[in-house]
Amino acid sequence: MTAQELAASAQSDPAPADDLSEEAKALWYTKKGDWHEAHEIAQDIHTPMGSWIHALLHLIEGDIGNAGYWYAKARKPTKRPAEIDAEWNTIAREVLGS
């Protein structure tokens, strides 16, 4: 699956595919607009990737300070709200290997 296909699935499907990783499911719910479910999943992923997704979610939420904390844990540069879509795509491509 590509990042574009994941995004399209979030727009058209009622639920993520069962075979998606937890990281991909968090991104799917993010694109679906279900911040709460995406956050529930991301906060249980105790890896740098989980921290990166968690950072994106707090950026979307508008909590820039908390986003910065999670970006630091992920060892990634902090992004601005204007970069949310590009950041989602970057993370999705890495998660999906595409």
Side-chain angles (χ1 to χ4, degrees):
M1 176 176 284
T2 66
Q4 185 177 19
E5 290 167 337
L6 184 65
S9 169
Q11 298 305 310
S12 64
D13 297 333
D18 290 335
D19 62 346
L20 290 178
S21 67
E22 291 301 296
E23 293 84 355
K25 285 179 183 176
L27 292 169
W28 188 94
Y29 280 108
T30 302
K31 193 55 84 170
K32 188 76 163 174
D34 189 341
W35 187 95
H36 179 75
E37 185 63 27
H39 188 257
E40 288 292 312
I41 294 168
Q43 69 185 358
D44 288 333
I45 304 170
H46 303 289
T47 64
M49 179 57 73
S51 294
W52 195 10
I53 295 167
H54 205 153
L56 172 64
L57 290 167
H58 285 290
L59 187 64
I60 290 167
E61 180 188 32
D63 187 347
I64 305 304
N66 205 359
Y69 169 82
W70 288 103
Y71 273 116
K73 284 189 66 87
R75 297 182 294 279
K76 298 290 183 182
T78 302
K79 300 296 182 181
R80 295 171 292 139
E83 299 173 287
I84 289 171
D85 289 334
E87 184 75 337
W88 186 93
N89 282 314
T90 298
I91 297 170
R93 283 192 304 273
E94 190 159 325
V95 163
L96 298 167
S98 60

